[in-house]
Every structure is written in structure tokens, then in C-alpha cells.
Amino acid sequence: MLESTNWAGYAATGHTYTSVASNWTEPSVTCTSKGIVGFWVGLDGLNSSTVEQTGTGVDCSNGTPQQFAWWETYPANSVQVYNVPVSAGDQMSSSVVAQAHGGYVLALTDWTAGWRVENPVSLPAGKDASAEIIAEAVSAGNQITTLPDFGQVEFTGSTIDTASLQAAGAQPIDMTDAHNNLIAATTEADPDGDFDVDYTADVLTS
């Protein structure tokens, strides 16, 4: 089990990866902090200086949960927000597929709201050095925001290079705070690519 101060979920590294995909139900978030939590799939970012990611997020900076959909191809583009509706309970699907010559297709679907975006982007510097399915405590500026209570997010049908997480050698990641307390725990993925990430920070104060 890997540990991170801002990621929980699954990640594979050590090879070159061409695709990652997963599905989830958008969680109902309680704003126990003014942080931001994101749910996404992507290539790169674990041990490389580039990222190609897309997913959803919930911003609690104003004290109430604000859902949004986004994509990022760092360093070419910081987080870019789509002008589409996202609500708690929506059924989401997301994928990132590497193309030839530094191209990527970032796809995000909200089956409940009835929209889909396929975003072709170019990032020639992309390394394709890792693949991830992640719940994240999102950074604002250079600071990791305090993780709001997202309860549980269940990722289903997760694949890397169209194969199972086990075939890709993906490893689970738990999220810890600055004092090494567990704040988000990842369950073992089954052969169908189903696993949960559970918010556990409330245990610290209960």
C-alpha cells in the first residue's frame, strides 16, 4: 500500500501506458473544510512532471459544495472547467487515451445529466509514465487544501491499457494528513476494476 498526502485510489507506474478509464457515482460532499476534492482518471503525474487528466470536483471554498467538471494537461494547461452541470448522485465515466505524436483524447460523460465531452489535446512533452484512478485533495496555489468529507466514492470497471488493474500492476494508495493520520482509505480492487475510496478523517475527531 502506497501513501500520499493528496491522492487515494490506484496508480500504475514502471512502464509506458496508453489508456486509463473508470466510472463512479458523484459523491454527496459535506463541507467540513473549505477544501476541494477531485475524482479523476489520468496519465502521468505520479513520477513525471506532466499530467493528462479529466474528472469532476467539489469546491467547498465558499462553505457550500459546488460540483464541477474539469480537465488538465499540465504544464500546457492548468485545470480548465467545463460549462456543464454536475450533481451529487450523477453517474460518471471518464477516460484518457494517448494518441500518436503527443496527442490525447480526454473523455468525460455524465450519464445522468446527459452530456459527454471528448476533448482532443496536444501535449508533446507527455511521458505516459503512469496511469491513475484517483480521489484527490486538490491544491490551491502551492497548498494542498484540507479534504472535505466526501463519504465514499466507488470506482467501477476501472481499466489500464484496456486490461485489469492487476494486469497493469497498479497499486492502491491511501491518503494521509501532515501528521500521518489516515484521511482516505482505498479498498482492494476486484478483477472487474471495482474499488472504493472512503473518507476516514472523521474518525480522528469522533
Side-chain angles (χ1 to χ4, degrees):
M1 178 73 71
L2 303 176
E3 290 186 354
S4 169
T5 55
N6 64 330
W7 285 9
Y10 267 82
T13 189
H15 300 282
T16 298
Y17 304 91
T18 58
S19 70
V20 57
S22 192
N23 314 283
W24 66 90
T25 301
E26 187 70 13
S28 179
V29 172
T30 302
C31 288
T32 50
S33 75
K34 291 191 174 182
I36 307 168
V37 59
F39 312 101
W40 55 267
V41 306
L43 298 174
D44 286 323
L46 185 63
N47 295 313
S48 61
S49 58
T50 59
V51 301
E52 306 86 36
Q53 302 170 347
T54 188
T56 60
V58 182
D59 186 347
C60 284
S61 59
N62 291 325
T64 57
Q66 303 294 319
Q67 283 91 0
F68 61 97
W70 60 275
W71 62 278
E72 180 179 13
T73 54
Y74 183 84
N77 296 283
S78 58
V79 170
Q80 305 292 308
V81 176
Y82 290 120
N83 184 25
V84 292
V86 181
S87 300
D90 285 4
Q91 302 297 311
M92 308 299 306
S93 296
S94 185
S95 64
V96 173
V97 179
Q99 310 287 303
H101 310 298
Y104 297 86
V105 176
L106 314 179
L108 187 63
T109 303
D110 187 325
W111 299 100
T112 306
W115 57 259
R116 174 177 174 82
V117 287
E118 288 192 10
N119 185 5
V121 299
S122 178
L123 190 70
K127 305 299 183 184
D128 305 334
S130 61
E132 305 92 17
I133 304 103
I134 296 294
E136 178 180 4
V138 177
S139 295
N142 294 321
Q143 298 293 321
I144 298 171
T145 65
T146 302
L147 186 67
D149 184 355
F150 62 87
Q152 180 184 79
V153 57
E154 180 183 2
F155 291 99
T156 62
S158 307
T159 61
I160 295 174
D161 290 349
T162 69
S164 70
L165 301 183
Q166 291 84 353
Q171 297 186 65
I173 305 169
D174 280 345
M175 193 188 310
T176 60
D177 65 14
H179 303 289
N180 207 37
N181 296 308
L182 182 67
I183 57 174
T186 302
T187 66
E188 183 177 354
D190 68 18
D192 293 324
D194 301 350
F195 66 92
D196 299 335
V197 177
D198 298 302
Y199 177 86
T200 61
D202 54 356
V203 176
L204 303 177
T205 57
S206 62

